[in-house]
Amino acid sequence: MRFATRLLLVQVATVTAVVAICALVFGWFGVRQLREESEAAALNIARTVAEDREVKTLVAEFSADPGTPDAADLRGGPLQRMAADVADRTDALFVVITDDHGIRLAHPTEALLGKVVSTPFAEVLEGNEVVDWEVGTLGESARAKVPVYAEGGTSPVGEVSVGFESASVFDDLPALVATILVAAVGGVALATLATLLLRRRFERLTLGLQPEELVALVQNQAAVLEGVGDGVVAVDPDGVVRVCNQAAERMLGLVAPVGRRLDDLPLPDAVRLAVRDGASGVETVVGDRVLYLDTRPVLRDARALGEILVVRDRTDVEALAGRLETVRAMTEALRVQRHEFANRLHVASGLIDADRVDEARAFLGDVAERGAVDFGVTGLERVPDALLQSLIGATAAAGRERGVTVRISDDTLLLGEVVGAEDVAAVLGNLVGNAVTAAVAGPEPGWVEIALFGDGDELVVTVSDSGGGIRPRGADPFSRSSTPGDGLSDVDAVHGHGFGLPLSRDLARRHGGDVWLIDPGGEGSGAVFGARLPGALGHVGAREEAATSVQAHAIRGEGDT
C-alpha cells in the first residue's frame, strides 16, 4: 500500500475517532441537560403550587385533622381539581399533594387518594426540597418535592410532588442525536476532503515519489554527489541553489551556498551566464583554477525543475597542455639544431675531402665558438643549460617571425642545471610567450629580456618587454579579465583568454614558489614579471644522474619480476 494511501486511511480513522468521541461527549451533555431542564421545570412547578395560598390553607386543615381524609371527599375537592389543572397545563405526569403524614390529598389516580405515597417523604417534611429520578406508582419520572407551609407557619404541613415522564423528558433527544450525527458526518467528510487535497499536494511536491523512494533517492544522491570528482550545482526555477556538493564548493570557492540565490553568490559572470543561458562547454577561471562548465536542464513529466551545473577542474589538464606545448617547441628546436649540426658536419667533411684542411679547421673553430646552432639570442652563452638554451632559442625563433628580439640580461648568473624540466619549461615558456605578444603590440622595435639566477636549488627568473605595460592600470594580471595584447596573454586559445598566468602561478606555488608582477610598466616601458621555482636546479650532471637512477630502478624492477 502506498504511503499516501496509508496516510489517508490513518487520518480518516483518526478524525473519525475524534469525531465519535466528541459526539458521545456532546450526547452525554445533551442528555444531562435534558434531565436538568426537566428537574428544574418540575421544581419550579412544585414551588409555585406549594406557594399557592389556597393550597397552604387546605393542606394545613387536612394536617390538623387527626383522622384520615375520606377518599370520596378528595375526588372532587379543590386540591384534586387544582392538581389536575396544573398537570394538564404543564404536561406533567403528575402533581401530587400530601399532608404531613404522606397521605395523598391530590393524585392523578383517584383510587390512590387517601393513601400514603409510595416514595419517601420524610426529608421533605423536614423542610428540604428534593429533586431526583424515582420510580413510583406511575413509573419512572423526574420529580421534585417541595414542602408546604401553613400561612405564618414555620413547619411543613405537607408536600407537593411534581413529576415528568422519562419518555417526555427525552422527546428532544432524537433531534439532538440527529444534529450531532449530521455534524459528525460533516466533520468526517470535511476531514476526508482535506486529507485528499493534502495527499494530492504531497504527491505533487514529491513528484509522485513515496517516502521510501525519497530516502533511497537521498542516499543515492549523497553517494553520487560526494563520490565523484566533478562539482554539481542544482538550481531551481527561481534561481535558488538546492544542491551543491563539496567538490563544487571547493572549485567555485563557495561557503554554504544551499538555500541562497545564485545571483547573490560570489561567482564570476561567466558562471551565472552559463546557468542562465543553459550553455555547455564554457571555460572560465575562478581563482587559480581553470574550470569547464556544462549546464543541463532538469525535466520530469514535461515539468521544468531547474538547471544542473556540472563543474570540472581543467587546471591540471591545461597545465599539462602547456607543458606539452613547451616540450613540443623544445623538441622542434632540437630537431632544427640536429639538422643544422648535421649540415655543418657535412660541410666540414666536404672541406676535408677537398684537402682544404685550413678552411675546415677554421670552420670547425667557428662552430665550437658559436655552438652547433645559432639561435640568434644575444647573451645566450650565459645560460649553460642545454634545456634552457633550446627553450629560449625556440621562443626567440617564434619571436623573430613576429618582429621581436629576445635577449639574455647581462645580470644573468646560472651555474646549476635544470632538473624540474616540465614546470620550468611551462612557467618560463608562458612568461616569455606573453612578453613576446606584448612586445608585438608595443612600439617598434620590440624586444624581450630574460634574466636567470640560481640561488641554491632555486631558479629565479625575470622577464621584461618593450610593450605598453598592463592596461588598464591597476588591473590584476592573474585574473580572467586579462585580454590579449596587454602583456598577460599566452598564444593558445586557452591562455589567450587569461589562463596562462594563473596556471603558471599554480605550478610554481605547488613547489613552494610563486609568480608575481614586479612592475606593471606603462609610459614607454613594458611590464616585468618574476618567478621563483624552488627545487628546479641541481649541480651540473644532476639531470644525467637522475635519468641513470630511474633507468637502474627500472632494470631492478624487471629483474624482480
Side-chain angles (χ1 to χ4, degrees):
M1 184 182 296
R2 294 167 62 87
F3 173 80
T5 303
R6 294 200 305 269
L7 180 63
L8 172 64
L9 295 178
V10 170
Q11 288 181 331
V12 171
T14 302
V15 172
T16 302
V18 172
V19 170
I21 293 174
C22 292
L24 292 176
V25 172
F26 280 115
W28 180 76
F29 276 116
V31 171
R32 184 173 180 178
Q33 183 177 2
L34 291 176
R35 290 170 60 98
E36 291 177 352
E37 287 178 354
S38 62
E39 292 172 355
L43 180 62
N44 290 331
I45 294 171
R47 286 174 176 174
T48 302
V49 173
E51 291 297 326
D52 186 88
R53 180 171 298 178
E54 184 179 1
V55 171
K56 290 182 176 183
T57 301
L58 292 174
V59 172
E61 291 178 356
F62 281 111
S63 296
D65 187 358
T68 301
D70 187 6
D73 296 336
L74 295 175
R75 288 189 183 96
L79 291 178
Q80 178 70 8
R81 292 196 302 272
M82 183 182 297
D85 184 56
V86 171
D88 291 339
R89 284 188 286 113
T90 60
D91 292 328
L93 175 64
F94 61 84
V95 175
V96 177
I97 302 174
T98 70
D99 60 8
D100 56 353
H101 292 88
I103 297 176
R104 300 182 181 96
L105 302 179
H107 193 279
T109 304
E110 294 181 351
L112 298 177
L113 293 174
K115 296 181 180 180
V116 179
V117 295
S118 60
T119 57
F121 57 88
E123 185 178 356
V124 179
L125 295 179
E126 291 177 358
N128 299 319
E129 294 179 345
V130 177
V131 179
D132 198 0
W133 284 70
E134 292 181 341
V135 178
T137 57
L138 298 177
E140 184 181 14
S141 60
R143 62 186 65 189
K145 299 177 181 180
V146 176
V148 177
Y149 295 91
E151 291 291 342
T154 58
S155 297
V157 294
E159 71 168 356
V160 175
S161 177
V162 178
F164 285 93
E165 188 179 8
S166 59
S168 65
V169 171
F170 298 113
D171 285 343
D172 296 334
L173 186 60
L176 177 63
V177 172
T179 303
I180 293 176
L181 288 177
V182 170
V185 172
V188 172
L190 183 61
T192 303
L193 178 61
T195 303
L196 289 173
L197 295 177
L198 181 62
R199 173 188 177 183
R200 181 178 179 183
R201 176 65 174 171
F202 173 80
E203 292 190 339
R204 183 178 180 183
L205 290 176
T206 60
L207 304 178
L209 297 176
Q210 299 304 303
E212 298 83 358
E213 297 172 323
L214 292 175
V215 171
L217 182 63
V218 171
Q219 292 173 341
N220 295 336
Q221 172 185 293
V224 172
L225 293 182
E226 303 304 334
V228 298
D230 295 342
V232 179
V233 180
V235 183
D236 67 9
D238 296 328
V240 179
V241 177
R242 295 304 180 187
V243 176
C244 184
N245 64 352
Q246 294 181 359
E249 292 182 2
R250 183 182 67 255
M251 295 179 194
L252 298 175
L254 301 177
V255 178
V258 177
R260 299 166 60 187
R261 295 186 57 82
L262 185 69
D263 293 338
D264 297 335
L265 298 176
L267 291 173
D269 293 337
V271 178
R272 296 190 181 92
L273 292 175
V275 176
R276 187 178 300 117
D277 300 337
S280 298
V282 177
E283 288 185 343
T284 185
V285 171
V286 178
D288 58 354
R289 296 179 181 274
V290 180
L291 303 180
Y292 182 86
L293 309 178
D294 191 6
T295 306
R296 297 185 181 91
V298 180
L299 300 174
R300 181 179 175 88
D301 299 332
R303 176 185 173 189
L305 302 179
E307 303 284 339
I308 290 291
L309 175 65
V310 180
V311 185
R312 298 182 178 91
D313 193 344
R314 297 286 296 273
T315 305
D316 293 337
V317 176
E318 299 300 339
L320 181 59
R323 292 174 179 175
L324 292 177
E325 180 64 22
T326 303
V327 171
R328 186 198 64 78
M330 289 190 296
T331 303
E332 181 65 18
L334 292 174
R335 187 192 64 79
V336 172
Q337 182 179 9
R338 176 184 173 279
H339 181 72
E340 182 67 17
F341 186 70
N343 289 340
R344 293 191 180 190
L345 288 180
H346 284 301
V347 172
S349 176
L351 291 175
I352 293 173
D353 290 341
D355 292 331
R356 299 166 63 180
V357 178
D358 293 338
E359 294 180 12
R361 183 178 290 108
F363 179 75
L364 291 175
D366 182 66
V367 170
E369 180 180 354
R370 298 175 56 187
V373 177
D374 185 7
F375 287 110
V377 178
T378 304
L380 189 60
E381 67 277 3
R382 299 187 184 96
V383 181
D385 186 80
L387 173 69
L388 293 178
Q389 286 185 357
S390 300
L391 175 61
I392 295 173
T395 308
R400 280 197 301 272
E401 294 177 355
R402 304 173 67 182
V404 177
T405 300
V406 178
R407 64 174 183 251
I408 303 298
S409 171
D410 295 339
D411 298 330
T412 295
L413 180 60
L414 187 64
L415 302 178
E417 228 178 37
V418 172
V419 292
E422 294 84 358
D423 290 343
V424 171
V427 174
L428 182 59
N430 182 71
L431 292 179
V432 175
N434 286 352
V436 169
T437 302
V440 170
E444 297 183 356
W447 54 265
V448 173
E449 185 174 88
I450 306 170
L452 300 103
F453 309 93
D455 183 10
D457 65 346
E458 287 190 353
L459 174 63
V460 181
V461 180
T462 62
V463 179
S464 57
D465 60 71
S466 61
I470 296 177
R471 297 187 300 272
R473 299 286 294 178
D476 183 8
F478 296 95
S479 69
R480 195 191 183 285
S481 60
S482 309
T483 55
D486 62 0
L488 311 178
S489 304
D490 206 338
V491 295
D492 58 35
V494 176
H495 296 153
H497 289 80
F499 293 168
L501 283 175
L503 283 174
S504 298
R505 170 180 277 182
D506 181 61
L507 289 174
R509 287 180 174 179
R510 291 183 184 183
H511 300 285
D514 201 359
V515 175
W516 69 96
L517 176 64
I518 299 176
D519 185 0
E523 299 180 358
S525 63
V528 180
F529 283 88
R532 182 174 59 84
L533 303 172
L537 295 179
H539 61 275
V540 177
R543 196 158 52 224
E544 288 76 3
E545 292 178 2
T548 302
S549 176
V550 171
Q551 184 177 6
H553 281 292
I555 294 173
R556 285 198 297 270
E558 293 177 359
D560 293 338
T561 57

